């Protein structure tokens, strides 16, 4: 281990000790040692070998021993013990500008915040502005810093990836010499988060070099990690890494299929080819040595006796068998969506008025809008009490008179309380056209507790839709654990819908459970959870996830007309 690495560990120990609340003298000794090490002009191994190190003012015997241990590449037990005593996320938090160890300790001990993700969620929920030593400004700064840290984290949200991919696709597709170019990988498959963006491109050999130069030279490129004539990797200023592979046009469909994945799908496809005496790889589909010519992915599938498998379905979740049997689902599309369900207005924590939300939805071509502001338990979100509910209903009645050819439904995102009961009495709930029930509090439940809580809530006959079933925030916090199958079974049985919350930070219901839900006869709604007009655009993410989950138009509540949706809610009430 070199001087720099040793200094880094001793510094980390000082921070850990500060968070833990160790003796200040000891902490200072570590900080001093770091400064000395950093300013050292002589060779550290020589100083240690000669024993001179202990003569340096500020480095005692104990510190010299530690340095020696690290220098020899041995494990420093004190360092390990410190790391064991403190949640690792706190070190990450301590790196956020403006958050000294004292504040980090307070976050940990007083608010039980131990990861940057939890801290971010707390800031976004405005939970820090009232805490002594923090305040609204600090909260805002923390959010900015976290966004920076995240740039270099392992996975990325769909909006980050899609925006980046669109920019690059634009830059590549018009460029001279480019024959075909497509996004592959997890982004093409609509995974809920992605590690990187994979581009596949075809061009003549003589054009490769200038296309690569164009790619690595794009304005959005912050760093070129690797660059060759057939493959390059760059990191964009948004922190996401992008691979580009260039092949001649004949290889394009095979490479596109290979790079789209998933790995599991590819493995199953290889087996299928083998069973047919063929061989498939990124280089081609072969019968013996002979290439079976394919111009498109559809050709590849056809040569293997399969219908075209949309990228979303390529997870080896049964798509190959279904394609062989001609039984792939006809997936729901954006154009099928008729109404916006689960939206907020200025009545609770939204940014637009009900009228603005309605006119914008109408303008986008939707037929109805379900306004579902928060209920009173969600005080942090300015939830509505009974009196305000009544006033809001009067406003909606007036707007429905005023706006032609459009319907605003009265709804509420009603909090599910700790025991599974709802935040309003049945006398209030009956006044809504439909009710969305969601959990926003007391997340620390066991799986049976959370499952019971949800099932109890949807047993109330006024509940039409279960909102974001696990409460997860992608890349930030796991949801409470639930038994998805039990919740889906109960909802299907009761005639309650479960939403795919289309906010790209949620995408909850998870796509992995959609096919099961569909086959149980569950009606699923794709809901933007829009807190402003711009939030409507998130429906596209929800549709992507629904497609990934094998859902068809008929499985989605908001592909039905306003009358049909109302009938769905009423039918559930009559059971
Ligand atoms: P991620 O983690 O979000 O980047 O997910 P992917 O699926 O984009 O994974 P990535 O970028 O590592 O690889 C892109 C595709 O390349 C992957 O979906 C399938 C293919 N691939 C990568 N490694 C392997 C492998 O070891 N075996 C096979 N059969 N295919 C692979
Ligand atoms: Ca990838
Ligand atoms: Zn909610």
């Amino acid at each position: 281990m070199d001087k720099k690495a040793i200094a880094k560990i001793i510094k980390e120990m000082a921070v850990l000790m500060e968070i833990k609340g160790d003796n200040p003298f000891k902490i200072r000794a570590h900080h001093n040692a770091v400064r000395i090490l950093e300013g050292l002009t002589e060779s550290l191994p020589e100083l240690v070998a000669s024993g001179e190190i202990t003569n340096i003012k500020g480095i005692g015997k104990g510190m010299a021993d530690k340095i020696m241990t690290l220098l020899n590449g041995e494990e420093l037990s004190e360092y390990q013990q410190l790391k064991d005593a403190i949640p690792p996320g706190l070190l990450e938090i301590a790196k956020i500008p403006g958050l000294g160890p004292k504040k980090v300790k307070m976050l940990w001990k007083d608010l039980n915040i131990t990861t940057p993700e939890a801290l971010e969620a707390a800031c976004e929920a405005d939970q820090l502005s009232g805490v002594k030593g923090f305040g609204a400004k600090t909260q805002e700064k923390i959010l900015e810093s976290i966004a920076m840290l995240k740039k270099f984290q392992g996975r990325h949200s769909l909006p980050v990836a899609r925006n980046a991919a669109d920019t690059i696709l634009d830059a590549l597709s018009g460029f001279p010499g480019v024959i075909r170019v497509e996004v592959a990988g997890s982004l093409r498959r609509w995974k809920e988060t992605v590690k990187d963006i994979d581009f596949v491109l075809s061009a003549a050999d003589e054009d490769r070099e200038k296309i690569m130069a164009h790619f690595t030279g794009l304005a959005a490129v912050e760093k070129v990690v690797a660059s060759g004539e057939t493959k390059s990797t760059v990191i964009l200023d948004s922190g996401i890494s992008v691979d580009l592979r260039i092949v001649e046009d004949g290889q394009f469909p095979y490479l596109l299929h290979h790079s789209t994945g998933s790995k599991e799908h590819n493995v199953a496809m290889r087996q299928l080819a083998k069973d047919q005496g063929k061989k498939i790889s990124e280089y081609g589909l072969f019968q013996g040595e002979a290439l079976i010519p394919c111009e498109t992915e559809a050709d590849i599938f056809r040569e293997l006796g399969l219908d075209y498998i949309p990228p979303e379905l390529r997870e080896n979740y049964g798509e190959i068998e279904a394609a062989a049997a001609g039984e792939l689902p006809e997936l729901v599309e954006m154009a099928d969506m008729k109404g916006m369900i689960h939206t907020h207005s200025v009545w609770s924590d939204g940014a637009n008025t009900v009228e603005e939300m309605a006119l914008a939805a109408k303008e986008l071509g939707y037929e109805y809008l379900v306004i579902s502001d928060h209920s009173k338990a969600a005080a942090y979100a300015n939830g509505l009490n009974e009196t305000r509910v009544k006033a809001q209903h009067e406003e909606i009645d007036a707007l429905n008179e005023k706006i032609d050819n459009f319907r605003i439904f009265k709804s509420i995102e009603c909090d599910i309380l700790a025991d599974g009961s709802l935040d309003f009495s049945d006398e209030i709930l009956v006044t809504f056209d439909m009710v969305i029930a969601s959990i926003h509090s007391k997340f620390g439940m066991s799986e049976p507790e959370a499952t019971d809580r949800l099932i109890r809530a949807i047993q109330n006959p006024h509940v039409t839709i279960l909102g974001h079933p696990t409460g997860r925030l992608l890349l930030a916090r796991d949801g409470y654990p639930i038994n998805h199958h039990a919740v889906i079974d109960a909802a299907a049985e009761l005639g309650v819908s479960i939403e795919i919350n289309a906010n790209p930070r949620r995408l909850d219901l998870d796509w992995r459970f959609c096919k099961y839900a569909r086959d149980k006869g569950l009606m699923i709604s794709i809901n933007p959870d829009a807190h402003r007009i711009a939030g409507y655009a998130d429906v596209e993410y929800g549709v992507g996830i629904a497609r990934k989950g094998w859902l068809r138009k008929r499985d989605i509540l908001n592909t039905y007309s306003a009358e049909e949706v109302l009938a769905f809610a009423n039918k559930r009430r009559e059971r």
Side-chain angles (χ1 to χ4, degrees), residues 114-182:
T114 58
T115 62
E117 292 79 16
L119 178 60
E120 181 181 37
C123 289
E124 276 179 348
D126 194 24
Q127 284 166 358
L128 250 57
S129 60
V131 176
K132 191 168 167 282
F134 288 88
K137 258 232 174 88
T138 315
Q139 188 166 274
E140 210 170 286
K141 276 199 108 153
I142 292 173
L143 276 176
E144 278 172 24
S145 309
I146 290 177
M148 286 297 289
L149 281 180
K150 264 202 182 163
K151 274 175 65 166
F152 304 105
Q153 210 179 271
R155 295 191 76 81
H156 303 268
S157 70
L158 281 182
V160 167
R162 283 173 55 95
N163 288 340
D166 286 349
T167 309
I168 293 175
L169 193 62
D170 275 353
L172 289 177
S173 45
F175 194 75
V178 173
I179 302 171
R180 288 191 266 183
V181 55
E182 276 207 55

Coordinates of all heavy atoms in Angstrom, one line a residue, residues 114-182:
T114 N -29.2 6.3 7.0 CA -27.9 5.7 6.9 C -27.3 5.5 5.5 O -26.3 5.0 5.3 CB -27.8 4.3 7.6 OG1 -28.8 3.5 6.9 CG2 -28.2 4.3 9.1
T115 N -28.1 6.0 4.5 CA -27.6 5.9 3.2 C -27.9 7.2 2.4 O -28.9 7.9 2.8 CB -28.3 4.8 2.3 OG1 -29.7 5.1 2.3 CG2 -28.1 3.4 3.0
P116 N -27.1 7.5 1.4 CA -27.4 8.8 0.6 C -28.8 8.7 0.1 O -29.5 9.7 -0.1 CB -26.4 8.7 -0.5 CG -25.3 7.9 0.0 CD -25.9 6.9 0.9
E117 N -29.3 7.5 -0.3 CA -30.6 7.3 -0.9 C -31.7 7.7 0.1 O -32.6 8.4 -0.2 CB -30.8 5.9 -1.4 CG -29.9 5.5 -2.5 CD -28.5 5.1 -2.1 OE1 -28.3 4.9 -0.9 OE2 -27.6 5.1 -3.0
A118 N -31.5 7.2 1.3 CA -32.6 7.5 2.4 C -32.5 9.0 2.6 O -33.6 9.7 2.9 CB -32.3 6.7 3.6
L119 N -31.3 9.6 2.6 CA -31.2 11.0 2.9 C -31.9 11.8 1.8 O -32.6 12.8 2.0 CB -29.7 11.4 2.9 CG -29.4 12.9 3.1 CD1 -30.0 13.4 4.4 CD2 -27.9 13.1 3.1
E120 N -31.7 11.4 0.6 CA -32.3 12.0 -0.6 C -33.9 12.0 -0.4 O -34.6 13.0 -0.6 CB -31.9 11.4 -1.9 CG -32.6 12.1 -3.1 CD -32.2 11.4 -4.4 OE1 -32.0 10.2 -4.4 OE2 -32.0 12.1 -5.4
A121 N -34.4 10.8 -0.1 CA -35.8 10.6 0.1 C -36.3 11.6 1.2 O -37.4 12.2 1.0 CB -36.1 9.2 0.4
A122 N -35.6 11.7 2.2 CA -36.0 12.5 3.4 C -36.0 14.0 2.9 O -36.9 14.8 3.3 CB -35.0 12.3 4.6
C123 N -35.0 14.4 2.2 CA -34.9 15.8 1.7 C -36.1 16.1 0.8 O -36.8 17.1 0.8 CB -33.6 16.1 0.9 SG -32.2 16.1 2.0
E124 N -36.4 15.1 -0.1 CA -37.5 15.3 -1.1 C -38.8 15.3 -0.4 O -39.8 16.0 -0.9 CB -37.4 14.2 -2.2 CG -36.5 14.7 -3.2 CD -36.3 13.7 -4.4 OE1 -36.7 12.5 -4.2 OE2 -35.7 14.1 -5.3
A125 N -38.9 14.6 0.7 CA -40.2 14.7 1.5 C -40.2 15.8 2.5 O -41.0 15.9 3.3 CB -40.4 13.3 2.2
D126 N -39.2 16.7 2.4 CA -39.1 17.9 3.2 C -39.0 17.5 4.7 O -39.7 18.2 5.5 CB -40.2 18.8 2.9 CG -40.0 20.2 3.5 OD1 -38.9 20.6 3.7 OD2 -41.0 20.9 3.8
Q127 N -38.3 16.5 5.0 CA -38.3 16.1 6.4 C -37.1 16.7 7.2 O -37.0 16.5 8.4 CB -38.2 14.5 6.5 CG -39.5 13.9 6.2 CD -39.4 12.4 6.0 OE1 -38.3 11.8 6.0 NE2 -40.5 11.7 5.7
L128 N -36.2 17.4 6.5 CA -35.0 17.9 7.2 C -35.1 19.4 7.5 O -34.4 19.9 8.3 CB -33.8 17.7 6.3 CG -32.8 16.6 6.8 CD1 -33.5 15.3 7.0 CD2 -31.7 16.5 5.8
S129 N -36.0 20.1 6.7 CA -36.0 21.6 6.9 C -36.4 22.0 8.3 O -35.9 23.1 8.7 CB -37.0 22.2 5.8 OG -38.3 21.7 6.1
G130 N -37.1 21.2 9.0 CA -37.5 21.6 10.3 C -36.5 21.1 11.4 O -36.6 21.5 12.6
V131 N -35.5 20.3 11.0 CA -34.6 19.7 12.0 C -33.5 20.7 12.4 O -32.9 21.4 11.5 CB -33.9 18.4 11.5 CG1 -32.9 17.9 12.4 CG2 -35.0 17.4 11.2
K132 N -33.2 20.9 13.6 CA -32.2 21.8 14.1 C -30.9 21.6 13.5 O -30.4 20.4 13.3 CB -32.1 21.7 15.6 CG -31.3 22.8 16.3 CD -31.5 22.8 17.8 CE -30.4 23.7 18.5 NZ -29.1 23.1 18.5
G133 N -30.2 22.6 13.0 CA -28.9 22.5 12.3 C -29.0 22.2 10.8 O -28.0 22.2 10.1
F134 N -30.2 22.0 10.3 CA -30.4 21.8 8.9 C -31.1 23.0 8.2 O -30.4 23.9 7.9 CB -31.1 20.5 8.6 CG -30.2 19.3 8.9 CD1 -30.2 18.7 10.2 CD2 -29.4 18.7 8.0 CE1 -29.3 17.7 10.5 CE2 -28.6 17.7 8.2 CZ -28.6 17.1 9.5
G135 N -32.3 22.9 8.0 CA -33.0 24.0 7.3 C -33.2 23.8 5.8 O -32.6 22.9 5.2
A136 N -34.1 24.6 5.2 CA -34.5 24.4 3.8 C -33.3 24.5 2.9 O -33.2 23.8 1.9 CB -35.6 25.4 3.5
K137 N -32.5 25.5 3.1 CA -31.3 25.7 2.2 C -30.4 24.5 2.2 O -29.9 24.1 1.2 CB -30.5 27.0 2.7 CG -30.8 28.2 1.9 CD -29.5 28.9 1.4 CE -29.7 30.0 0.5 NZ -29.9 31.3 1.2
T138 N -30.0 24.0 3.4 CA -29.2 22.9 3.6 C -29.8 21.7 2.8 O -29.1 21.0 2.1 CB -29.0 22.5 5.0 OG1 -28.8 23.6 5.8 CG2 -27.9 21.5 5.2
Q139 N -31.1 21.6 3.0 CA -31.8 20.4 2.4 C -31.6 20.5 0.8 O -31.3 19.5 0.2 CB -33.2 20.6 2.8 CG -34.1 19.4 2.3 CD -35.4 19.4 3.0 OE1 -35.6 18.9 4.1 NE2 -36.4 20.0 2.4
E140 N -31.8 21.7 0.3 CA -31.6 21.9 -1.1 C -30.2 21.6 -1.6 O -30.0 20.9 -2.6 CB -32.0 23.3 -1.5 CG -32.6 23.5 -2.8 CD -33.1 24.9 -2.9 OE1 -34.1 25.2 -2.3 OE2 -32.4 25.7 -3.6
K141 N -29.2 22.0 -0.8 CA -27.8 21.8 -1.2 C -27.5 20.3 -1.1 O -26.8 19.8 -2.0 CB -26.9 22.5 -0.2 CG -26.7 23.9 -0.5 CD -25.4 24.4 0.2 CE -24.2 24.7 -0.8 NZ -23.3 25.7 -0.2
I142 N -28.1 19.6 -0.1 CA -27.8 18.2 0.0 C -28.3 17.5 -1.3 O -27.7 16.6 -1.8 CB -28.5 17.6 1.3 CG1 -27.8 18.2 2.5 CG2 -28.5 16.1 1.3 CD1 -28.5 17.8 3.8
L143 N -29.5 17.9 -1.7 CA -30.1 17.2 -2.9 C -29.2 17.4 -4.1 O -29.0 16.5 -4.9 CB -31.5 17.8 -3.2 CG -32.6 17.1 -2.4 CD1 -33.9 17.8 -2.6 CD2 -32.7 15.7 -2.7
E144 N -28.7 18.6 -4.2 CA -27.8 18.9 -5.4 C -26.5 18.0 -5.3 O -26.1 17.4 -6.3 CB -27.3 20.4 -5.3 CG -28.3 21.3 -6.0 CD -27.9 22.8 -5.7 OE1 -26.7 23.0 -5.5 OE2 -28.8 23.6 -5.7
S145 N -26.0 17.9 -4.1 CA -24.8 17.1 -3.9 C -25.0 15.7 -4.2 O -24.2 15.0 -4.8 CB -24.2 17.3 -2.5 OG -24.1 18.6 -2.2
I146 N -26.2 15.2 -3.7 CA -26.5 13.8 -4.0 C -26.6 13.5 -5.5 O -26.1 12.5 -6.0 CB -27.8 13.4 -3.2 CG1 -27.5 13.4 -1.7 CG2 -28.2 12.0 -3.7 CD1 -28.7 13.1 -0.9
A147 N -27.2 14.4 -6.2 CA -27.4 14.3 -7.6 C -26.0 14.1 -8.2 O -25.8 13.3 -9.1 CB -28.1 15.4 -8.2
M148 N -25.0 14.9 -7.7 CA -23.6 14.8 -8.2 C -23.0 13.4 -7.9 O -22.4 12.7 -8.8 CB -22.7 15.8 -7.6 CG -23.0 17.2 -8.1 SD -22.5 17.3 -9.8 CE -20.8 17.2 -9.7
L149 N -23.2 13.0 -6.7 CA -22.6 11.7 -6.3 C -23.2 10.5 -7.1 O -22.5 9.6 -7.5 CB -23.0 11.3 -4.8 CG -22.2 12.0 -3.7 CD1 -22.7 11.6 -2.3 CD2 -20.7 11.7 -3.9
K150 N -24.5 10.7 -7.4 CA -25.2 9.6 -8.1 C -24.7 9.5 -9.5 O -24.8 8.4 -10.1 CB -26.7 10.0 -8.2 CG -27.5 9.4 -7.2 CD -28.9 9.4 -7.7 CE -29.9 8.9 -6.8 NZ -31.2 9.3 -7.2
K151 N -24.1 10.6 -10.1 CA -23.6 10.5 -11.4 C -22.6 9.3 -11.5 O -22.5 8.7 -12.6 CB -22.7 11.8 -11.7 CG -23.5 12.9 -12.2 CD -22.7 14.1 -12.3 CE -21.6 14.0 -13.3 NZ -21.0 15.3 -13.7
F152 N -22.0 9.0 -10.5 CA -21.0 7.9 -10.6 C -21.4 6.6 -9.9 O -20.6 5.7 -9.7 CB -19.7 8.4 -10.0 CG -19.2 9.7 -10.7 CD1 -19.4 10.9 -10.0 CD2 -18.8 9.7 -12.0 CE1 -19.0 12.1 -10.7 CE2 -18.4 10.8 -12.6 CZ -18.5 12.1 -12.0
Q153 N -22.7 6.5 -9.6 CA -23.2 5.3 -9.1 C -23.4 4.2 -10.2 O -23.4 4.5 -11.3 CB -24.5 5.6 -8.3 CG -24.7 4.7 -7.1 CD -26.0 5.1 -6.5 OE1 -26.0 6.0 -5.6 NE2 -27.1 4.6 -7.0
G154 N -23.7 3.0 -9.8 CA -23.7 1.9 -10.7 C -24.8 1.9 -11.7 O -24.6 1.6 -12.9
R155 N -26.0 2.2 -11.3 CA -27.1 2.2 -12.3 C -27.8 3.5 -12.5 O -27.6 4.4 -11.7 CB -28.1 1.1 -11.9 CG -27.5 -0.3 -11.9 CD -28.6 -1.4 -11.7 NE -29.4 -1.6 -12.9 CZ -28.9 -2.4 -13.9 NH1 -27.8 -3.0 -13.9 NH2 -29.7 -2.6 -15.0
H156 N -28.6 3.6 -13.5 CA -29.2 4.9 -13.9 C -30.7 4.7 -14.1 O -31.2 3.7 -14.5 CB -28.5 5.4 -15.1 CG -27.1 5.6 -14.9 ND1 -26.5 6.8 -14.4 CD2 -26.1 4.7 -15.1 CE1 -25.2 6.6 -14.3 NE2 -24.9 5.4 -14.7
S157 N -31.4 5.8 -13.9 CA -32.9 5.7 -14.1 C -33.2 5.8 -15.6 O -32.3 6.3 -16.4 CB -33.5 6.9 -13.3 OG -33.2 8.1 -14.0
L158 N -34.4 5.4 -15.9 CA -34.8 5.5 -17.3 C -34.7 6.9 -17.9 O -34.3 7.0 -19.1 CB -36.2 4.9 -17.5 CG -36.2 3.3 -17.5 CD1 -37.6 2.8 -17.7 CD2 -35.3 2.8 -18.6
P159 N -35.2 7.9 -17.3 CA -35.1 9.2 -17.9 C -33.7 9.6 -18.3 O -33.4 10.1 -19.4 CB -35.7 10.2 -16.9 CG -36.6 9.3 -16.0 CD -35.9 8.0 -16.0
V160 N -32.8 9.4 -17.4 CA -31.4 9.7 -17.6 C -30.9 9.0 -18.8 O -30.3 9.5 -19.8 CB -30.5 9.4 -16.4 CG1 -29.0 9.5 -16.8 CG2 -30.8 10.4 -15.2
A161 N -31.1 7.7 -18.9 CA -30.6 6.8 -19.9 C -31.3 7.2 -21.3 O -30.7 7.2 -22.3 CB -30.9 5.4 -19.6
R162 N -32.6 7.4 -21.2 CA -33.3 7.6 -22.5 C -32.9 9.0 -23.1 O -32.8 9.1 -24.3 CB -34.8 7.5 -22.3 CG -35.3 6.1 -22.2 CD -36.8 6.0 -21.8 NE -37.6 6.8 -22.7 CZ -38.2 6.3 -23.8 NH1 -38.1 5.0 -24.0 NH2 -38.9 7.1 -24.6
N163 N -32.8 10.0 -22.2 CA -32.4 11.3 -22.8 C -31.0 11.2 -23.4 O -30.8 11.7 -24.5 CB -32.4 12.3 -21.6 CG -33.8 12.7 -21.2 OD1 -34.7 12.5 -22.0 ND2 -33.9 13.3 -20.0
A164 N -30.1 10.5 -22.7 CA -28.8 10.4 -23.2 C -28.8 9.6 -24.6 O -28.2 10.0 -25.5 CB -27.9 9.7 -22.2
A165 N -29.6 8.5 -24.6 CA -29.6 7.7 -25.8 C -30.2 8.4 -26.9 O -29.7 8.3 -28.1 CB -30.4 6.4 -25.5
D166 N -31.2 9.2 -26.7 CA -31.9 10.0 -27.7 C -30.9 11.0 -28.4 O -30.8 11.1 -29.6 CB -33.1 10.8 -27.2 CG -34.3 9.8 -27.0 OD1 -34.2 8.6 -27.4 OD2 -35.2 10.3 -26.3
T167 N -30.1 11.6 -27.5 CA -29.2 12.6 -28.0 C -28.1 11.9 -28.9 O -27.8 12.4 -30.0 CB -28.4 13.2 -26.8 OG1 -29.4 13.7 -25.9 CG2 -27.5 14.4 -27.3
I168 N -27.6 10.8 -28.5 CA -26.6 10.1 -29.2 C -27.2 9.5 -30.5 O -26.6 9.6 -31.6 CB -25.9 9.0 -28.4 CG1 -25.2 9.8 -27.2 CG2 -25.0 8.2 -29.2 CD1 -24.6 8.9 -26.2
L169 N -28.4 9.0 -30.4 CA -29.0 8.4 -31.6 C -29.2 9.5 -32.7 O -28.9 9.2 -33.8 CB -30.4 7.8 -31.2 CG -31.0 6.9 -32.2 CD1 -30.1 5.7 -32.5 CD2 -32.4 6.4 -31.8
D170 N -29.6 10.6 -32.2 CA -29.8 11.8 -33.2 C -28.4 12.1 -33.8 O -28.4 12.3 -35.1 CB -30.2 13.0 -32.4 CG -31.7 13.1 -32.3 OD1 -32.4 12.2 -32.9 OD2 -32.2 14.0 -31.6
A171 N -27.4 12.1 -33.0 CA -26.1 12.5 -33.6 C -25.5 11.4 -34.5 O -24.8 11.8 -35.4 CB -25.1 12.7 -32.4
L172 N -25.9 10.2 -34.2 CA -25.3 9.1 -35.1 C -26.1 8.8 -36.3 O -25.6 8.5 -37.4 CB -25.2 7.8 -34.2 CG -24.1 7.8 -33.2 CD1 -24.1 6.5 -32.4 CD2 -22.7 8.0 -33.7
S173 N -27.4 8.9 -36.2 CA -28.2 8.4 -37.3 C -28.1 9.2 -38.6 O -28.2 8.7 -39.6 CB -29.7 8.2 -36.9 OG -30.2 9.3 -36.2
G174 N -27.9 10.5 -38.4 CA -27.7 11.3 -39.6 C -26.3 11.4 -40.2 O -26.0 11.9 -41.2
F175 N -25.4 10.8 -39.4 CA -24.0 11.0 -39.8 C -23.6 10.2 -41.1 O -24.0 9.1 -41.2 CB -23.1 10.5 -38.6 CG -21.7 11.0 -38.7 CD1 -21.3 12.3 -38.4 CD2 -20.7 10.1 -39.0 CE1 -20.0 12.8 -38.5 CE2 -19.3 10.5 -39.1 CZ -19.0 11.9 -38.9
P176 N -22.8 10.8 -41.9 CA -22.4 10.2 -43.2 C -21.8 8.8 -43.0 O -20.9 8.6 -42.1 CB -21.4 11.1 -43.8 CG -21.6 12.4 -43.1 CD -22.2 12.2 -41.8
G177 N -22.2 7.8 -43.7 CA -21.6 6.5 -43.6 C -22.4 5.5 -42.8 O -22.2 4.3 -42.9
V178 N -23.2 6.1 -41.9 CA -24.0 5.2 -41.0 C -25.1 4.6 -41.8 O -25.9 5.3 -42.4 CB -24.6 6.0 -39.8 CG1 -25.5 5.2 -39.0 CG2 -23.4 6.6 -38.9
I179 N -25.2 3.3 -41.8 CA -26.3 2.6 -42.5 C -27.4 2.3 -41.5 O -28.5 2.8 -41.7 CB -25.8 1.2 -43.1 CG1 -24.6 1.5 -44.1 CG2 -26.9 0.6 -43.9 CD1 -23.9 0.3 -44.6
R180 N -27.2 1.6 -40.5 CA -28.2 1.4 -39.5 C -27.6 1.6 -38.1 O -26.5 1.3 -37.8 CB -28.7 -0.1 -39.5 CG -29.6 -0.4 -40.7 CD -30.3 -1.7 -40.6 NE -29.5 -2.8 -41.2 CZ -29.9 -4.1 -41.3 NH1 -31.1 -4.4 -40.7 NH2 -29.2 -5.0 -41.8
V181 N -28.4 2.1 -37.2 CA -28.0 2.3 -35.8 C -29.2 2.1 -34.9 O -30.3 2.6 -35.1 CB -27.3 3.7 -35.6 CG1 -28.2 4.8 -36.0 CG2 -26.9 3.8 -34.1
E182 N -29.0 1.4 -33.8 CA -30.0 1.2 -32.8 C -29.5 1.0 -31.4 O -28.4 0.6 -31.2 CB -30.8 -0.1 -33.1 CG -31.9 0.1 -34.2 CD -33.1 -0.9 -34.1 OE1 -33.7 -0.9 -33.0 OE2 -33.4 -1.5 -35.1

